[in-house]
């Protein structure tokens, strides 16, 4: 990371916000730096990861999937087995504890697939804070079970009808509320995106995923994997896995983003790394899918958690340096991967995670049987089953 200014990864990142938000965000950054150096704060956080979340999550050898595909051995990092069903709880607990330490009364966030919203509502209930979640109207319709979960956990769910009524618009809406009430509110951004310190803070809280995976694969195989794969929307689950391996030059790393229905049509995909360009979004400099006026374009993914027109700035930097290769998977490939894991391993994966599985399916047959792939299974697919059933019914008709 550059020393020239806080929160930069090479030329990407930073904190580009209206003047009234500069002070509250600087306070979050200062409070975070103090908290992670406080043994009592870290001990409380780590105890909750063990006793509440259920960490460490298993590293599972997917033998039947491996046999079905041929080639490389596939391991799954089972973040779907965490309390609330995804990796999001890792950073939500950290953010909730930090908010309480700062004396805030309310947690505020955006959500796409609803997993961040559920995890934050869970953390808010645990530590005794109010919670307000902004969610695009399209995603509310697609992810109804998660909306009910958030409400049961005591959160207020705000339907965002503006713009494309999806994740980007939910972020815009939540930022507006935060700007009006930052004294009592902690904005708990749900990915490694946004202004400094969020890309660093969320990455750090998520880095437990990669640290565990590294220890687990060394224990099981006596060596590091040949390949890591994770899906990328904003990119929190991917940075969580990748971070522990970035200095291991022999480990090939892939981030998989949504090719959607059609890469050639604006609004039919969310392939930011493939088709985006440098720009500004949500207080950060990063790679953005944007029009000629620099406005974010409409996006689409079968996975609500990935339909975002930008990406975390560290991912943009990792692409620029070539350390991570960013590829894409279509809606159709993702549905195929979703079904294959269900049939071969008895695991229903999130549609987000199924993008990563789709790339594993693509490359594993061409690799040697002595090679190892680790896929981050970032969430479970219970939330997606009704939507998947509808899509499969359309394909059969």
């Amino acid at each position: 990371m550059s020393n020239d200014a806080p929160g930069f990864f090479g030329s990407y990142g930073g904190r580009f916000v209206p003047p009234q938000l500069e002070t509250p965000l600087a306070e979050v950054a200062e409070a975070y730096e103090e908290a992670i150096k406080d043994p009592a704060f870290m001990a409380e956080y780590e105890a909750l990861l063990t006793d509440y979340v259920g960490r460490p999550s298993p590293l599972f050898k997917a033998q039947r999937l491996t046999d079905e595909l041929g080639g490389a051995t596939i391991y799954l990092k089972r973040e779907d087995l965490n309390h609330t069903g995804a990796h999001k709880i890792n950073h939500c607990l950290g953010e909730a504890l930090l908010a309480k330490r700062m004396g805030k009364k309310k947690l505020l966030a955006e959500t796409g697939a609803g997993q961040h919203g559920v995890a934050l509502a869970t953390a808010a209930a645990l530590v005794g804070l109010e919670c307000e979640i902004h969610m695009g109207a399209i995603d509310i319709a697609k992810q109804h079970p998660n909306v009910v979960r958030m409400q049961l956990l005591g959160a207020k769910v705000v339907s965002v009808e503006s713009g494309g009524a999806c994740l980007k618009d939910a972020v815009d809406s939540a930022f507006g509320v935060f700007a009006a009430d930052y004294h009592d509110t902690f904005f708990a951004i749900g990915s490694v995106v946004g202004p400094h310190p969020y890309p660093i803070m969320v990455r750090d809280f998520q880095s437990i995923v990669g640290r565990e995976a590294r220890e687990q694969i060394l224990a099981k195989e006596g060596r590091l994997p040949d390949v890591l794969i994770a899906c990328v929307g904003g990119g929190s689950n991917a940075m969580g896995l990748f971070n522990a391996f970035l200095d291991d030059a022999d480990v090939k790393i892939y981030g998989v983003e949504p090719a959607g229905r059609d890469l050639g049509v604006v609004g039919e995909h969310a392939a930011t790394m493939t088709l985006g360009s440098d720009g500004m979004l949500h207080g950060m400099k990063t790679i953005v899918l944007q029009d000629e006026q620099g406005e974010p374009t409409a996006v689409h993914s079968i996975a609500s958690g990935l339909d975002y027109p930008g990406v975390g700035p560290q991912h943009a930097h990792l692409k620029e340096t070539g350390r991570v290769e960013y590829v894409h998977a279509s809606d159709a490939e993702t549905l195929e991967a979703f079904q294959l894991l269900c049939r071969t391993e008895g695991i229903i994966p999130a549609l987000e995670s199924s993008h990563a599985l789709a790339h594993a399916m693509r490359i594993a047959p061409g690799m040697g049987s002595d090679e190892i792939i680790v896929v981050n299974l970032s969430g479970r697919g219970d939330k997606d089953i009704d939507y998947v059933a509808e899509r499969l019914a359309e394909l059969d008709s």
Side-chain angles (χ1 to χ4, degrees):
M1 194 166 66
S2 169
N3 294 319
D4 298 334
F8 273 89
F9 303 89
S11 61
Y12 297 104
R15 183 163 64 222
F16 301 92
V17 294
Q20 69 268 30
L21 289 182
E22 182 62 42
T23 296
L25 290 177
E27 289 173 354
V28 172
E30 183 179 359
Y32 171 67
E33 289 299 326
E34 290 177 357
I36 59 171
K37 294 172 185 172
D38 181 350
F41 177 88
M42 294 307 297
E44 183 178 8
Y45 173 61
E46 289 165 4
L48 287 173
L49 288 180
T50 301
D51 299 333
Y52 190 70
V53 177
R55 304 206 70 92
S57 66
L59 185 69
F60 172 67
K61 186 176 183 179
Q63 190 60 58
R64 277 179 41 79
L65 178 63
T66 296
D67 293 343
E68 177 82 13
L69 296 174
T73 298
I74 298 174
Y75 280 87
L76 306 176
K77 181 58 173 160
R78 297 291 308 276
E79 291 299 289
D80 59 310
L81 294 179
N82 294 339
H83 179 45
T84 71
H87 68 292
K88 296 290 188 180
I89 192 70
N90 299 327
H91 70 257
C92 284
L93 281 176
E95 289 179 316
L97 290 173
L98 184 61
K100 191 165 186 178
R101 179 186 175 98
M102 293 177 70
K104 304 298 185 181
K105 297 177 181 176
K106 182 170 78 173
L107 289 168
L108 169 72
E110 83 302 332
T111 196
Q115 289 303 114
H116 175 61
V118 169
L120 194 69
T122 298
L126 180 68
V127 304
L129 296 175
E130 297 174 40
C131 187
E132 180 175 312
I133 305 295
H134 290 236
M135 189 172 187
I138 289 175
D139 295 333
I140 283 179
K142 285 170 67 175
Q143 304 290 350
H144 179 68
N146 273 345
V147 176
V148 174
R149 289 187 184 98
M150 286 182 268
Q151 292 169 335
L152 286 171
L153 290 160
K156 175 185 177 183
V157 180
V158 177
S159 178
V160 179
E161 314 283 342
S162 58
C166 58
L167 182 57
K168 179 261 177 189
D169 310 289
V171 177
D172 291 341
S173 178
F175 258 118
V177 171
F178 179 58
D181 185 28
Y182 54 77
H183 293 292
D184 292 328
T185 300
F186 185 98
F187 191 7
I189 291 179
S191 193
V192 288
V193 299
H196 176 66
Y198 291 99
I200 293 170
M201 180 168 66
V202 174
R203 177 204 65 195
D204 290 352
F205 284 134
Q206 285 295 344
S207 65
I208 184 67
V209 179
R211 292 198 304 273
E212 285 179 3
R214 187 185 182 90
E215 292 177 7
Q216 289 165 326
I217 198 67
L218 286 171
K220 289 175 182 292
E221 296 283 352
R223 67 180 186 88
L224 295 179
D226 298 281
V227 173
L228 299 177
I229 309 176
C231 65
V232 176
S236 60
N237 92 91
M239 278 315 313
L241 178 65
F242 298 169
N243 199 51
F245 297 87
L246 291 177
D247 293 333
D248 299 299
D250 292 338
V251 179
K252 176 72 176 175
I253 305 178
Y254 292 99
V256 189
E257 58 182 8
R261 291 183 287 245
D262 190 339
L263 272 178
V265 179
V266 172
E268 291 295 296
H269 64 84
T272 304
M273 294 296 216
T274 305
L275 296 170
S277 55
D278 288 1
M280 302 292 293
L281 180 66
H282 295 141
M284 60 179 168
K285 180 184 177 185
T286 188
I287 298 174
V288 186
L289 289 168
Q290 56 194 324
D291 60 22
E292 293 175 356
Q293 285 73 46
E295 292 297 315
T297 63
V299 290
H300 160 79
S301 171
I302 195 171
S304 297
L306 303 182
D307 59 357
Y308 184 63
V311 69
Q314 189 169 3
H315 284 291
H317 177 61
L318 290 170
K319 181 191 178 187
E320 183 180 56
T321 62
R323 179 62 189 96
V324 177
E325 182 175 345
Y326 293 88
V327 296
H328 47 75
S330 68
D331 284 357
E333 290 171 316
T334 299
L335 265 179
E336 183 182 353
F338 179 99
Q339 295 175 84
L340 183 62
L341 192 66
C342 290
R343 292 196 307 267
T344 58
E345 299 290 358
I347 298 170
I348 302 175
L351 283 169
E352 290 78 12
S353 316
S354 299
H355 285 74
L357 287 166
H359 190 61
M361 288 169 55
R362 191 183 291 153
I363 66 172
M367 295 173 64
S369 59
D370 59 339
E371 293 185 282
I372 299 168
I373 297 173
V374 171
V375 177
N376 198 13
L377 199 68
S378 56
R380 65 178 178 234
D382 305 48
K383 65 184 177 59
D384 297 316
I385 55 176
D386 290 341
Y387 184 70
V388 167
E390 291 172 9
R391 299 289 80 74
L392 294 177
E394 290 172 1
L395 292 173
D396 290 339
S397 62

